[in-house]
Amino acid sequence: MAVVKARKQDIDMLARLLRAEAETEGETGMLLVGNVGINRIRANCSDFKGIRTIPQMINQPHAFEALQHGMYYQNARERERRLAQRAVNGERNWPAKFSLWYFRPGTFENPGPCPPTWYNQPLVGRFRKHCFYEPTAEECENVYSTF
């Protein structure tokens, strides 16, 4: 059962984002991006107050670098659609379980170390090249009670 409302076109949009943001991180990495996106919709805190839909989350200004590149605008593929649906259904995995941010430090070929904070929120973990940041309870209690 879905934890956020999602029409077919929303699933396709999220699928395209997963691929564009994290295809090189494999299925787990793409699912983690989906986790962060769904958390942003459900948490209603920090920079994500009032974000209630997948299109709002994806099109929030400066939210995703991938929207500046062509891969996001390619057609969704079935593999990414399945991953997007899993995220919409509420599947969450560490380190993105409660994360609202992720970041890839360094260059594509030479990833750097994870900064201890990002947007003033603490590092919770790393998956391959991406660092994940979880808000404190003071910043966003809602993210811990969304499921």
Side-chain angles (χ1 to χ4, degrees), residues 110-129:
N110 188 20
C114 293
T117 61
W118 189 251
Y119 289 98
N120 297 318
Q121 302 305 309
L123 173 70
V124 68
R126 183 179 196 135
F127 181 80
R128 295 189 181 168
K129 296 179 183 177

PDB file of all heavy atoms in Angstrom, residues 110-129:
ATOM      1  N   ASN A 110      36.650  10.167  -8.353  1.00  0.00           N
ATOM      2  CA  ASN A 110      37.381  10.184  -7.093  1.00  0.00           C
ATOM      3  C   ASN A 110      36.506  10.759  -5.973  1.00  0.00           C
ATOM      4  O   ASN A 110      36.632  11.931  -5.628  1.00  0.00           O
ATOM      5  CB  ASN A 110      38.668  11.009  -7.259  1.00  0.00           C
ATOM      6  CG  ASN A 110      39.557  10.913  -6.046  1.00  0.00           C
ATOM      7  OD1 ASN A 110      39.448   9.993  -5.248  1.00  0.00           O
ATOM      8  ND2 ASN A 110      40.432  11.891  -5.896  1.00  0.00           N
ATOM      9  N   PRO A 111      35.619   9.924  -5.421  1.00  0.00           N
ATOM     10  CA  PRO A 111      34.753  10.445  -4.360  1.00  0.00           C
ATOM     11  C   PRO A 111      35.551  10.857  -3.128  1.00  0.00           C
ATOM     12  O   PRO A 111      36.531  10.204  -2.775  1.00  0.00           O
ATOM     13  CB  PRO A 111      33.816   9.285  -4.049  1.00  0.00           C
ATOM     14  CG  PRO A 111      34.447   8.081  -4.631  1.00  0.00           C
ATOM     15  CD  PRO A 111      35.401   8.527  -5.701  1.00  0.00           C
ATOM     16  N   GLY A 112      35.147  11.939  -2.537  1.00  0.00           N
ATOM     17  CA  GLY A 112      35.829  12.426  -1.348  1.00  0.00           C
ATOM     18  C   GLY A 112      35.161  11.925  -0.081  1.00  0.00           C
ATOM     19  O   GLY A 112      34.170  11.195  -0.121  1.00  0.00           O
ATOM     20  N   PRO A 113      35.696  12.339   1.064  1.00  0.00           N
ATOM     21  CA  PRO A 113      35.100  11.944   2.343  1.00  0.00           C
ATOM     22  C   PRO A 113      33.769  12.669   2.566  1.00  0.00           C
ATOM     23  O   PRO A 113      33.541  13.759   2.044  1.00  0.00           O
ATOM     24  CB  PRO A 113      36.142  12.372   3.370  1.00  0.00           C
ATOM     25  CG  PRO A 113      36.912  13.455   2.704  1.00  0.00           C
ATOM     26  CD  PRO A 113      36.899  13.150   1.225  1.00  0.00           C
ATOM     27  N   CYS A 114      32.916  12.067   3.348  1.00  0.00           N
ATOM     28  CA  CYS A 114      31.630  12.679   3.695  1.00  0.00           C
ATOM     29  C   CYS A 114      31.850  13.781   4.727  1.00  0.00           C
ATOM     30  O   CYS A 114      32.481  13.530   5.755  1.00  0.00           O
ATOM     31  CB  CYS A 114      30.688  11.639   4.298  1.00  0.00           C
ATOM     32  SG  CYS A 114      30.166  10.356   3.161  1.00  0.00           S
ATOM     33  N   PRO A 115      31.346  14.977   4.477  1.00  0.00           N
ATOM     34  CA  PRO A 115      31.391  16.002   5.516  1.00  0.00           C
ATOM     35  C   PRO A 115      30.570  15.547   6.726  1.00  0.00           C
ATOM     36  O   PRO A 115      29.575  14.837   6.555  1.00  0.00           O
ATOM     37  CB  PRO A 115      30.753  17.232   4.857  1.00  0.00           C
ATOM     38  CG  PRO A 115      30.754  16.957   3.395  1.00  0.00           C
ATOM     39  CD  PRO A 115      30.735  15.472   3.244  1.00  0.00           C
ATOM     40  N   PRO A 116      30.946  15.934   7.929  1.00  0.00           N
ATOM     41  CA  PRO A 116      30.214  15.485   9.113  1.00  0.00           C
ATOM     42  C   PRO A 116      28.789  16.038   9.194  1.00  0.00           C
ATOM     43  O   PRO A 116      27.938  15.443   9.853  1.00  0.00           O
ATOM     44  CB  PRO A 116      31.054  15.983  10.285  1.00  0.00           C
ATOM     45  CG  PRO A 116      31.941  17.033   9.725  1.00  0.00           C
ATOM     46  CD  PRO A 116      32.117  16.738   8.269  1.00  0.00           C
ATOM     47  N   THR A 117      28.521  17.157   8.527  1.00  0.00           N
ATOM     48  CA  THR A 117      27.163  17.696   8.465  1.00  0.00           C
ATOM     49  C   THR A 117      26.884  18.193   7.049  1.00  0.00           C
ATOM     50  O   THR A 117      27.800  18.502   6.286  1.00  0.00           O
ATOM     51  CB  THR A 117      26.951  18.870   9.449  1.00  0.00           C
ATOM     52  OG1 THR A 117      27.858  19.922   9.108  1.00  0.00           O
ATOM     53  CG2 THR A 117      27.157  18.442  10.889  1.00  0.00           C
ATOM     54  N   TRP A 118      25.617  18.286   6.718  1.00  0.00           N
ATOM     55  CA  TRP A 118      25.150  18.824   5.443  1.00  0.00           C
ATOM     56  C   TRP A 118      23.861  19.567   5.753  1.00  0.00           C
ATOM     57  O   TRP A 118      22.962  18.991   6.361  1.00  0.00           O
ATOM     58  CB  TRP A 118      24.927  17.682   4.448  1.00  0.00           C
ATOM     59  CG  TRP A 118      24.648  18.121   3.061  1.00  0.00           C
ATOM     60  CD1 TRP A 118      23.453  18.032   2.399  1.00  0.00           C
ATOM     61  CD2 TRP A 118      25.567  18.691   2.131  1.00  0.00           C
ATOM     62  NE1 TRP A 118      23.582  18.519   1.132  1.00  0.00           N
ATOM     63  CE2 TRP A 118      24.880  18.932   0.943  1.00  0.00           C
ATOM     64  CE3 TRP A 118      26.917  19.036   2.212  1.00  0.00           C
ATOM     65  CZ2 TRP A 118      25.473  19.494  -0.176  1.00  0.00           C
ATOM     66  CZ3 TRP A 118      27.510  19.594   1.092  1.00  0.00           C
ATOM     67  CH2 TRP A 118      26.803  19.810  -0.082  1.00  0.00           C
ATOM     68  N   TYR A 119      23.786  20.820   5.383  1.00  0.00           N
ATOM     69  CA  TYR A 119      22.655  21.669   5.753  1.00  0.00           C
ATOM     70  C   TYR A 119      22.407  21.595   7.265  1.00  0.00           C
ATOM     71  O   TYR A 119      21.280  21.487   7.722  1.00  0.00           O
ATOM     72  CB  TYR A 119      21.391  21.309   4.963  1.00  0.00           C
ATOM     73  CG  TYR A 119      21.501  21.704   3.513  1.00  0.00           C
ATOM     74  CD1 TYR A 119      21.865  20.773   2.548  1.00  0.00           C
ATOM     75  CD2 TYR A 119      21.282  23.014   3.116  1.00  0.00           C
ATOM     76  CE1 TYR A 119      21.983  21.127   1.218  1.00  0.00           C
ATOM     77  CE2 TYR A 119      21.400  23.381   1.783  1.00  0.00           C
ATOM     78  CZ  TYR A 119      21.752  22.430   0.840  1.00  0.00           C
ATOM     79  OH  TYR A 119      21.876  22.794  -0.476  1.00  0.00           O
ATOM     80  N   ASN A 120      23.494  21.610   7.999  1.00  0.00           N
ATOM     81  CA  ASN A 120      23.476  21.584   9.461  1.00  0.00           C
ATOM     82  C   ASN A 120      22.881  20.313  10.051  1.00  0.00           C
ATOM     83  O   ASN A 120      22.488  20.295  11.211  1.00  0.00           O
ATOM     84  CB  ASN A 120      22.747  22.818  10.030  1.00  0.00           C
ATOM     85  CG  ASN A 120      23.460  24.090   9.668  1.00  0.00           C
ATOM     86  OD1 ASN A 120      24.684  24.161   9.715  1.00  0.00           O
ATOM     87  ND2 ASN A 120      22.702  25.102   9.272  1.00  0.00           N
ATOM     88  N   GLN A 121      22.811  19.257   9.276  1.00  0.00           N
ATOM     89  CA  GLN A 121      22.274  17.992   9.766  1.00  0.00           C
ATOM     90  C   GLN A 121      23.385  16.945   9.776  1.00  0.00           C
ATOM     91  O   GLN A 121      24.261  16.942   8.903  1.00  0.00           O
ATOM     92  CB  GLN A 121      21.109  17.519   8.911  1.00  0.00           C
ATOM     93  CG  GLN A 121      19.970  18.524   8.850  1.00  0.00           C
ATOM     94  CD  GLN A 121      19.461  18.927  10.212  1.00  0.00           C
ATOM     95  OE1 GLN A 121      19.143  18.084  11.047  1.00  0.00           O
ATOM     96  NE2 GLN A 121      19.396  20.229  10.466  1.00  0.00           N
ATOM     97  N   PRO A 122      23.365  16.029  10.744  1.00  0.00           N
ATOM     98  CA  PRO A 122      24.470  15.084  10.896  1.00  0.00           C
ATOM     99  C   PRO A 122      24.481  13.961   9.855  1.00  0.00           C
ATOM    100  O   PRO A 122      23.441  13.495   9.407  1.00  0.00           O
ATOM    101  CB  PRO A 122      24.254  14.518  12.306  1.00  0.00           C
ATOM    102  CG  PRO A 122      22.816  14.728  12.591  1.00  0.00           C
ATOM    103  CD  PRO A 122      22.387  15.944  11.833  1.00  0.00           C
ATOM    104  N   LEU A 123      25.694  13.556   9.544  1.00  0.00           N
ATOM    105  CA  LEU A 123      25.919  12.398   8.681  1.00  0.00           C
ATOM    106  C   LEU A 123      25.402  11.152   9.386  1.00  0.00           C
ATOM    107  O   LEU A 123      25.677  10.932  10.559  1.00  0.00           O
ATOM    108  CB  LEU A 123      27.423  12.244   8.409  1.00  0.00           C
ATOM    109  CG  LEU A 123      27.872  10.995   7.660  1.00  0.00           C
ATOM    110  CD1 LEU A 123      27.431  11.055   6.206  1.00  0.00           C
ATOM    111  CD2 LEU A 123      29.387  10.855   7.756  1.00  0.00           C
ATOM    112  N   VAL A 124      24.652  10.327   8.659  1.00  0.00           N
ATOM    113  CA  VAL A 124      24.171   9.071   9.243  1.00  0.00           C
ATOM    114  C   VAL A 124      24.878   7.869   8.618  1.00  0.00           C
ATOM    115  O   VAL A 124      25.004   6.830   9.242  1.00  0.00           O
ATOM    116  CB  VAL A 124      22.632   8.954   9.147  1.00  0.00           C
ATOM    117  CG1 VAL A 124      22.165   8.802   7.717  1.00  0.00           C
ATOM    118  CG2 VAL A 124      22.114   7.810   9.978  1.00  0.00           C
ATOM    119  N   GLY A 125      25.365   8.027   7.385  1.00  0.00           N
ATOM    120  CA  GLY A 125      26.061   6.919   6.751  1.00  0.00           C
ATOM    121  C   GLY A 125      26.334   7.192   5.290  1.00  0.00           C
ATOM    122  O   GLY A 125      25.943   8.211   4.737  1.00  0.00           O
ATOM    123  N   ARG A 126      27.009   6.240   4.694  1.00  0.00           N
ATOM    124  CA  ARG A 126      27.399   6.353   3.289  1.00  0.00           C
ATOM    125  C   ARG A 126      27.013   5.081   2.570  1.00  0.00           C
ATOM    126  O   ARG A 126      27.132   3.986   3.126  1.00  0.00           O
ATOM    127  CB  ARG A 126      28.903   6.566   3.199  1.00  0.00           C
ATOM    128  CG  ARG A 126      29.406   6.760   1.783  1.00  0.00           C
ATOM    129  CD  ARG A 126      30.911   7.000   1.746  1.00  0.00           C
ATOM    130  NE  ARG A 126      31.256   7.532   0.446  1.00  0.00           N
ATOM    131  CZ  ARG A 126      32.055   8.552   0.237  1.00  0.00           C
ATOM    132  NH1 ARG A 126      32.650   9.137   1.256  1.00  0.00           N
ATOM    133  NH2 ARG A 126      32.305   8.972  -0.976  1.00  0.00           N
ATOM    134  N   PHE A 127      26.560   5.226   1.332  1.00  0.00           N
ATOM    135  CA  PHE A 127      26.378   4.088   0.442  1.00  0.00           C
ATOM    136  C   PHE A 127      27.142   4.409  -0.830  1.00  0.00           C
ATOM    137  O   PHE A 127      26.832   5.381  -1.513  1.00  0.00           O
ATOM    138  CB  PHE A 127      24.906   3.815   0.124  1.00  0.00           C
ATOM    139  CG  PHE A 127      24.730   2.625  -0.768  1.00  0.00           C
ATOM    140  CD1 PHE A 127      24.781   1.348  -0.240  1.00  0.00           C
ATOM    141  CD2 PHE A 127      24.565   2.786  -2.134  1.00  0.00           C
ATOM    142  CE1 PHE A 127      24.661   0.237  -1.067  1.00  0.00           C
ATOM    143  CE2 PHE A 127      24.444   1.681  -2.968  1.00  0.00           C
ATOM    144  CZ  PHE A 127      24.492   0.404  -2.432  1.00  0.00           C
ATOM    145  N   ARG A 128      28.141   3.615  -1.094  1.00  0.00           N
ATOM    146  CA  ARG A 128      29.049   3.824  -2.227  1.00  0.00           C
ATOM    147  C   ARG A 128      29.549   5.265  -2.246  1.00  0.00           C
ATOM    148  O   ARG A 128      30.262   5.671  -1.353  1.00  0.00           O
ATOM    149  CB  ARG A 128      28.397   3.372  -3.522  1.00  0.00           C
ATOM    150  CG  ARG A 128      28.146   1.883  -3.544  1.00  0.00           C
ATOM    151  CD  ARG A 128      27.714   1.382  -4.870  1.00  0.00           C
ATOM    152  NE  ARG A 128      27.484  -0.053  -4.800  1.00  0.00           N
ATOM    153  CZ  ARG A 128      26.885  -0.738  -5.730  1.00  0.00           C
ATOM    154  NH1 ARG A 128      26.449  -0.132  -6.826  1.00  0.00           N
ATOM    155  NH2 ARG A 128      26.708  -2.036  -5.585  1.00  0.00           N
ATOM    156  N   LYS A 129      29.144   6.055  -3.239  1.00  0.00           N
ATOM    157  CA  LYS A 129      29.684   7.415  -3.374  1.00  0.00           C
ATOM    158  C   LYS A 129      28.821   8.480  -2.705  1.00  0.00           C
ATOM    159  O   LYS A 129      29.197   9.646  -2.677  1.00  0.00           O
ATOM    160  CB  LYS A 129      29.850   7.748  -4.856  1.00  0.00           C
ATOM    161  CG  LYS A 129      30.873   6.871  -5.547  1.00  0.00           C
ATOM    162  CD  LYS A 129      30.993   7.215  -7.024  1.00  0.00           C
ATOM    163  CE  LYS A 129      31.979   6.270  -7.694  1.00  0.00           C
ATOM    164  NZ  LYS A 129      32.057   6.522  -9.132  1.00  0.00           N
TER     165      LYS A 129
END
